[in-house]
Amino acid sequence: MPTATSNARPTLAAAPREVVGKKVAMLRRAGKLPAVVYGNGVASSAVTIDAHDFELLRRKAGPNALVDLSVDGKKSDPVLIHDVQVHPVTHRPLHVDLFLVRMTEELTVDVPLVAVGESSAIANDGGTLLHAIESVRIKALPDHLPQSIEYSIVTLVDFDTAIHVRDLTIPSDVTLLTDLDEIVAKVQAPRVEVEEPTAAEVEAAEGEAAEGEEQAEGETAEDGSSEGGSES
């Protein structure tokens, strides 16, 4: 099972894998999860990890958490869980990409945004919170990557106010790459329900329109008769 090391990083064990292609299905049936380990300047290698251990790890570790990976019992190396392919129905992992990192080289990743607090425009005016973007792109050293960035929606007091990227609180050891003018969130006003006319109202309106047309035709006919009489 994944454990924590002295530097608080979780660990994961892997084994070399020779099975590839469609045959990996039998690995999954045996509780093994196929994965690939790769990195800049490093040849990629196919491995398997315990599916149950990986699920436990995903529940505890964030999207940008560093993991110490040991392959075949050898010295562990820090990796990022770069991509996870999941089953479209069961949502169970099918394949994992593990990116080998160098602790002295900065990484560029997307960090999820988390809204906290309460907006009076939502609580009192019935508005709906709109997330214009779900994450921001940042650059930082591997052990300085934030798991998420929180922002308060207390400032959203009406439907015109918006929170922009420039309003976010970014750690000093992190470089923000997303455009500062991008909108993060705002509150949408409630929709005004337009009542559909009833069948009786539609019928009455059509009747009034028909009466109006008949009256107009009668007036036109009378005008035509009087004009003809004056000429004779």
Short mmCIF file of all heavy atoms in Angstrom, two decimals, residues 126 159 188-196:
data_model
loop_
_atom_site.label_atom_id
_atom_site.label_comp_id
_atom_site.label_asym_id
_atom_site.label_seq_id
_atom_site.Cartn_x
_atom_site.Cartn_y
_atom_site.Cartn_z
N GLY A 126 -30.97 35.37 -5.35
CA GLY A 126 -31.29 34.21 -6.17
C GLY A 126 -30.42 33.99 -7.38
O GLY A 126 -30.82 33.29 -8.31
N PHE A 159 -24.87 41.56 -9.60
CA PHE A 159 -24.72 40.82 -10.86
C PHE A 159 -23.72 41.47 -11.82
O PHE A 159 -23.46 40.93 -12.90
CB PHE A 159 -26.08 40.66 -11.55
CG PHE A 159 -27.12 40.02 -10.67
CD1 PHE A 159 -28.38 40.59 -10.54
CD2 PHE A 159 -26.83 38.87 -9.96
CE1 PHE A 159 -29.34 39.99 -9.73
CE2 PHE A 159 -27.77 38.27 -9.14
CZ PHE A 159 -29.03 38.83 -9.02
N GLN A 188 -24.76 35.18 -12.06
CA GLN A 188 -25.77 35.41 -13.10
C GLN A 188 -27.12 35.67 -12.45
O GLN A 188 -27.52 34.97 -11.51
CB GLN A 188 -25.86 34.20 -14.02
CG GLN A 188 -26.85 34.37 -15.17
CD GLN A 188 -26.97 33.11 -16.01
OE1 GLN A 188 -27.14 32.03 -15.48
NE2 GLN A 188 -26.85 33.26 -17.32
N ALA A 189 -27.81 36.68 -12.94
CA ALA A 189 -29.14 37.01 -12.40
C ALA A 189 -30.12 35.88 -12.69
O ALA A 189 -29.99 35.17 -13.69
CB ALA A 189 -29.64 38.31 -13.02
N PRO A 190 -31.11 35.70 -11.82
CA PRO A 190 -32.11 34.64 -12.07
C PRO A 190 -32.90 34.94 -13.33
O PRO A 190 -33.17 36.10 -13.66
CB PRO A 190 -32.99 34.68 -10.82
CG PRO A 190 -32.80 36.05 -10.25
CD PRO A 190 -31.39 36.43 -10.57
N ARG A 191 -33.30 33.92 -14.03
CA ARG A 191 -34.07 34.09 -15.25
C ARG A 191 -35.50 34.49 -14.91
O ARG A 191 -36.08 33.99 -13.96
CB ARG A 191 -34.09 32.80 -16.06
CG ARG A 191 -32.73 32.42 -16.62
CD ARG A 191 -32.83 31.15 -17.44
NE ARG A 191 -31.54 30.79 -18.02
CZ ARG A 191 -31.35 29.71 -18.76
NH1 ARG A 191 -32.37 28.90 -19.03
NH2 ARG A 191 -30.16 29.44 -19.25
N VAL A 192 -36.05 35.41 -15.69
CA VAL A 192 -37.43 35.85 -15.51
C VAL A 192 -38.33 34.90 -16.29
O VAL A 192 -38.20 34.77 -17.51
CB VAL A 192 -37.63 37.30 -15.99
CG1 VAL A 192 -39.08 37.71 -15.83
CG2 VAL A 192 -36.71 38.24 -15.22
N GLU A 193 -39.20 34.23 -15.56
CA GLU A 193 -40.09 33.28 -16.20
C GLU A 193 -41.19 34.02 -16.96
O GLU A 193 -41.90 34.86 -16.40
CB GLU A 193 -40.74 32.35 -15.15
CG GLU A 193 -39.75 31.45 -14.44
CD GLU A 193 -39.18 30.39 -15.37
OE1 GLU A 193 -39.83 30.12 -16.40
OE2 GLU A 193 -38.10 29.85 -15.07
N VAL A 194 -41.34 33.73 -18.23
CA VAL A 194 -42.39 34.32 -19.06
C VAL A 194 -43.56 33.35 -19.12
O VAL A 194 -43.41 32.22 -19.60
CB VAL A 194 -41.88 34.63 -20.48
CG1 VAL A 194 -42.99 35.20 -21.33
CG2 VAL A 194 -40.69 35.56 -20.42
N GLU A 195 -44.70 33.77 -18.56
CA GLU A 195 -45.86 32.89 -18.52
C GLU A 195 -46.45 32.71 -19.91
O GLU A 195 -46.71 33.68 -20.62
CB GLU A 195 -46.93 33.43 -17.57
CG GLU A 195 -46.48 33.44 -16.10
CD GLU A 195 -47.61 33.85 -15.19
OE1 GLU A 195 -48.73 34.07 -15.69
OE2 GLU A 195 -47.37 33.94 -13.97
N GLU A 196 -46.66 31.45 -20.29
CA GLU A 196 -47.29 31.15 -21.57
C GLU A 196 -48.80 31.39 -21.45
O GLU A 196 -49.41 31.04 -20.45
CB GLU A 196 -47.03 29.69 -21.95
CG GLU A 196 -45.57 29.37 -22.25
CD GLU A 196 -45.09 30.04 -23.52
OE1 GLU A 196 -45.94 30.32 -24.39
OE2 GLU A 196 -43.87 30.31 -23.62
#
